[in-house]
Amino acid sequence: MKNIILFGKPGAGKGTQAVFLRDHFNLIHISTGDVFRYNIKNQTPLGIMAKQYMDNGDLVPDEVTIQMLEREVDKKPDAAGFIFDGFPRTISQAEALDGFLSKKQMSIAATLALDVDEDILVSRLLSRGKDSGRADDQDEEKIRNRFAEYNAKTAPLIAYYTAQEKFHAIDGSRSIEAIADHLTRIVDQL
Ligand code: AMP
């Protein structure tokens, strides 16, 4: 079973590469951002709660995010493996994920980090926001706040997964195809 974390700042290309890896390796793709957006669209209590954080570019509290992720994994008992996209984003999420997976005799095989400069990401996100209408992609101040959240709360995961010898940094400024090739070579060896 190959369970992979796609890691990187907002706009780094996690979603694009997750879809490629999902199809190539027959894995289940879980994007916590997509699950939140689905709940917002359907105006569920979870969506209504999450929206106030997401609109400002803040992280949704750990407890609800962890419970939601566990529910998504439990929906797919026959999966050949999972791609976690946008999760974990804090040390407590990472610890909860390790504990949850180990209860199921599962573990993370690798954390694949897409590395891209913040200035490139800002222009990517602003252009994505024009097409998607995502509130958090349309305002540079909110985008910068998401980077601040990443730098304060998510960046410590680099040391967490490096200590487990699972962290792979990848230059995410190259073409989509070049990055997909690089990721495929890494995942093939897991
Ligand atoms: P994304 O689509 O991954 O960029 O996520 C969009 C927004 O959803 C983030 O800015 C957060 O507000 C929220 N979100 C997604 N995943 C998480 C997570 N693992 N922990 C907390 N908040 C999250």
Side-chain angles (χ1 to χ4, degrees):
M1 196 172 193
K2 288 182 179 178
N3 299 307
I4 293 157
I5 293 168
L6 269 179
F7 187 85
K9 290 179 183 164
K14 300 187 294 293
T16 303
Q17 296 299 335
V19 168
F20 167 78
L21 293 174
R22 174 196 73 189
D23 295 342
H24 192 83
F25 291 101
N26 186 30
L27 303 171
I28 299 290
H29 171 208
I30 301 178
S31 155
T32 41
D34 284 351
V35 181
F36 282 132
R37 281 183 287 276
Y38 176 87
N39 278 275
I40 290 172
K41 202 170 130 217
N42 291 288
Q43 298 190 323
T44 68
L46 176 67
I48 291 162
M49 186 281 303
K51 188 176 187 317
Q52 53 187 328
Y53 296 96
M54 290 176 71
D55 278 352
N56 293 323
D58 293 333
L59 292 185
V60 178
D62 280 336
E63 204 182 282
V64 277
T65 306
I66 290 165
Q67 277 178 18
M68 180 181 88
L69 186 279
E70 293 183 357
R71 276 200 304 276
E72 292 298 313
V73 171
D74 283 337
K75 283 182 192 168
K76 304 285 180 190
D78 300 325
F82 291 90
I83 301 169
F84 299 108
D85 162 8
F87 185 96
R89 265 174 152 106
T90 63
I91 292 282
S92 32
Q93 291 180 16
E95 287 171 348
L97 181 63
D98 277 347
F100 173 69
L101 292 179
S102 81
K103 275 193 235 148
K104 297 172 173 293
Q105 274 81 47
M106 289 160 60
S107 61
I108 293 298
T111 295
L112 309 177
L114 303 176
D115 210 7
V116 186
D117 270 1
E118 284 190 8
D119 289 338
I120 297 176
L121 293 176
V122 172
S123 58
R124 273 195 203 175
L125 288 168
L126 287 171
S127 106
R128 183 171 84 180
K130 279 192 197 136
D131 298 333
S132 70
R134 265 179 70 171
D136 60 344
D137 280 349
Q138 289 182 358
D139 173 335
E140 181 158 348
E141 203 180 311
K142 288 175 184 172
I143 291 172
R144 297 276 177 201
N145 185 46
R146 283 154 75 198
F147 293 155
E149 286 279 80
Y150 171 95
N151 290 325
K153 298 175 185 169
T154 309
L157 294 178
I158 298 171
Y160 182 89
Y161 288 110
T162 301
Q164 297 189 7
E165 299 182 359
K166 291 176 180 170
F167 192 79
H168 302 257
I170 288 126
D171 175 1
S173 65
R174 294 169 298 162
S175 71
I176 291 175
E177 294 75 20
I179 298 166
D181 275 357
H182 193 167
L183 294 175
T184 303
R185 273 183 275 124
I186 297 173
V187 176
D188 270 335
Q189 285 169 12
L190 296 174

